[in-house]
Amino acid sequence: MRVFHEVRRYDEDFMVWYGGYDNMSFWPHWHEEIELIYIRSGAARINVTNNALIVREGDLIICDSGDIHFSDSYQMVNRLEFLVFDPHFLSPRYQYTGLPSPLVSRETLEKAGLDGLVRNLFTQIPRELEKRQPYYQKIVKSLLQEGWYSLLRLLSPDANGPESAQRHYMLGA
C-alpha cells in the first residue's frame, strides 16, 4: 500500500479545516493534524492504522496525529464530514493519545450524552470558519478542546484519566 504524507495548506495561520463530501473515498495518507470524521448519513468503509471499520450514520472516527487512514467506500452511499486541526490547539506539548479504537459509535455517543456535542462540532465550527466574526478563532479552539476532552474522558481506559494520578501526586495524596 502506498501512503502519502499530506501537508494541508490553510487560508491563514489558523490551522482548522472543515469539509463535507458525498460518496467519498480517499487514498491512504497521514498528517500531523488530528482528523475527526463524522458519518452524517449512510455507511462507509474506513481504515485507521490497520483497523478496518464499517461505519454508519452518527458514528465518529478519530484519526490521531500520524495515524494512516483511508476510505474504500466504492458503491456505498454516504455523507462524510471532516474536521482537521492542529493538535497544538489541545496542548503546546501534545503527544499521541493512543486511543483503544478510532471508532466512537453512535450508540456509545448517545449513551454518554455526547451525540449532541459531536453534531454541534460539525455544525458550529463550519459556521464560525465561514463567517469569521470577531473571536471566531477562540470559539473554534474552545469547541475543539471541549469536544476532544469530552471524547477522551469517554474513551480513556482509566476512568479517572491520567490527570487524576498527576493531581494526586501534585497534592501529595
Side-chain angles (χ1 to χ4, degrees):
M1 166 176 49
R2 296 177 68 182
V3 177
F4 73 93
H5 178 198
E6 179 182 80
V7 179
R8 183 168 298 282
R9 294 181 190 258
Y10 297 88
D11 293 338
E12 52 187 295
D13 63 352
F14 187 62
M15 296 174 57
V16 178
W17 176 84
Y18 165 83
Y21 301 96
D22 295 320
N23 308 324
M24 176 75 168
S25 290
F26 51 89
W27 294 103
H29 67 284
W30 69 277
H31 39 75
E32 300 295 329
E33 296 92 344
I34 293 170
E35 183 170 331
L36 303 178
I37 306 171
Y38 184 61
I39 293 63
R40 181 65 72 175
S41 64
R45 280 185 295 275
I46 297 178
N47 189 302
V48 181
T49 314
N50 297 320
N51 290 289
L53 307 164
I54 303 263
V55 293
R56 306 205 185 301
E57 181 175 334
D59 290 347
L60 178 71
I61 300 296
I62 301 173
C63 304
D64 208 340
S65 177
D67 282 352
I68 297 170
H69 52 286
F70 64 93
S71 174
D72 178 16
S73 297
Y74 180 70
Q75 294 187 338
M76 296 181 89
V77 176
N78 58 55
R79 170 78 179 169
L80 303 181
E81 296 184 27
F82 302 82
L83 278 172
V84 179
F85 62 94
D86 184 348
H88 296 101
F89 284 175
L90 304 174
S91 169
R93 295 184 180 150
Y94 179 81
Q95 294 181 356
Y96 183 79
T97 308
L99 296 172
S101 170
L103 171 63
V104 188
S105 70
R106 179 186 72 212
E107 295 79 15
T108 300
L109 291 169
E110 288 173 350
K111 185 176 177 183
L114 295 178
D115 53 322
L117 181 140
V118 170
R119 282 192 308 273
N120 187 52
L121 286 175
F122 285 87
T123 301
Q124 192 169 350
I125 289 175
R127 188 178 313 133
E128 290 291 338
L129 292 173
E130 181 182 338
K131 292 184 178 182
R132 296 180 187 229
Q133 293 178 335
Y135 302 105
Y136 83 95
Q137 292 182 355
K138 293 193 180 300
I139 291 170
V140 167
K141 189 174 178 180
S142 69
L143 288 166
L144 288 169
Q145 289 173 340
E146 178 187 12
W148 181 260
Y149 289 113
S150 295
L151 289 166
L152 206 56
R153 177 190 290 163
L154 172 66
L155 302 173
S156 176
D158 174 9
N160 295 321
E163 290 182 48
S164 176
Q166 183 179 16
R167 220 177 297 119
H168 288 298
Y169 177 77
M170 291 173 60
L171 296 174

